[in-house]
Amino acid sequence: MKSLTVGDLEDCLLNKVDLRRQQISQAVEEVQKVVHHLTTNISSQDIRFQVVPYSETYNENIKVLAPSQFLVTVPVKGLAGYREAREQRWRYYTLHGTRLPCPLRDPEGLQQWLEVEQFMKSLWQWHETDVNIDGDIVPAKVLLVFRKLVENAIRTCHLSGKVSMLGNRSAVWVAVETSAYPVEVELVPAVEIPTAWSEKARWPRCLQRWPSQERVECIKSFGFNLLACSSYHWQLSFFRAEQVLLEQLDDDGGCRRKCFQVMRQLKEDVWCPGIRPVITSHHLQTVLFWTCEKYPHFKDWQVFSKAFLRLVRKLHKCASQHFLKHYFVRNSNLFQCTNPIELDAVAQKVSTFLKNPQISPP
């Protein structure tokens, strides 16, 4: 074993980071070809779903949560001019059309209702009962329609040997066989709202020093998405805003990105490996953002070993407490639905590392 020094850790793990980047790039390339093919067929079947574009560079619709776990947002079409709902009302419906004696629970954290009347323009198909109940666009019904379209597209595009549906899940998951390894892909219909910032995201916080006010305005201009991944409520997503934050991390010459990459590599190799890890790259990214906000100055990110261990300590605290606030929506815990036993196992491994920071030689 090698002791943690700047040279040891950087040389050993950054070589792995480069190899990971090459492997992920190849997997993304193959997955996005499949997704583009499928969504082209889906869009021809149902105008409400757009084609996920093919990109030779960065594809903003594909989020790599782990080497074998991707999230792909499929933009919907025909909803424009979003406005926040001003009136609260009770909902008494079920997904099957029956009436409830008591109202459905209100959305919490990253969730919200979505009424078709919140859009200044909408295709008549969004008013149809296959996706709409009492004026609400219901994510579970959208997913039901979308799942059937995906199943049909796999057959029509003759992709059955390369793509298969993953059952026993409320969301739409497919397994894609790439040349290197199989990748599990969640396909999520997404309402893109590029012209507004969610009222639930009360950001930046008072006296916040990172990022700069100019950067904040730029980030908020990218808006947010609403994802169909639960029964009644849509989930807020800020993938575009988060990507802008990541891209501009080290404009001052610091080592924030390097710390994040090395922590991600250790997470995938040692602390939390596997196809569906309890902690994903998105969790680590959120840990990074909170640490950057707490330590906003260049001097805090000059020495790799100090900055890296500070970041790992933050990860350990969040995993051991089963609590990680969403960076933009503070009252949402990203670990709320994760397995506490698996989180404890990760926390224990990270704790062991912090007591004696060592890595195995490559």
Side-chain angles (χ1 to χ4, degrees), residues 264-279:
R264 182 183 61 193
Q265 195 67 47
L266 277 170
K267 192 277 295 185
E268 292 175 359
D269 289 348
V270 183
W271 303 333
C272 190
I275 296 176
R276 291 187 294 275
V278 66
I279 293 180

Side-chain angles (χ1 to χ4, degrees), residues 48 50 76-84 114-124 126-127 137 190-196:
R48 290 174 291 192
Q50 295 187 51
V76 302
K77 186 178 181 181
L79 294 169
Y82 174 82
R83 299 165 292 188
E84 295 276 357
L114 187 62
E115 302 173 35
V116 73
E117 296 302 326
Q118 287 179 242
F119 297 91
M120 298 176 66
K121 296 180 181 179
S122 59
L123 287 175
W124 63 266
W126 290 110
H127 298 257
I137 303 173
V191 181
E192 296 182 338
I193 303 172
T195 57

Side-chain angles (χ1 to χ4, degrees), residues 10 22 35 50 76 79 105 118 147 183 186 200-201 203 216 223 243 251 257 260 267 271 283 299 303 307 324 349-350:
E10 285 185 281
Q22 295 170 22
V35 170
Q50 295 187 51
V76 302
L79 294 169
R105 68 172 179 84
Q118 287 179 242
R147 176 184 293 276
V183 177
E186 183 180 5
K200 282 198 167 191
W203 181 84
V216 165
Q243 184 59 32
D251 287 356
R257 179 179 295 277
F260 169 73
K267 192 277 295 185
W271 303 333
H283 293 127
K299 65 180 177 64
V303 180
L324 173 59
K349 290 179 181 178
V350 176

Side-chain angles (χ1 to χ4, degrees), residues 89-108:
R89 62 183 178 90
W90 300 113
R91 272 83 169 172
Y92 293 90
Y93 58 76
T94 68
L95 298 176
H96 305 292
T98 55
R99 309 301 294 181
L100 295 170
C102 298
L104 291 167
R105 68 172 179 84
D106 279 337
E108 301 173 349

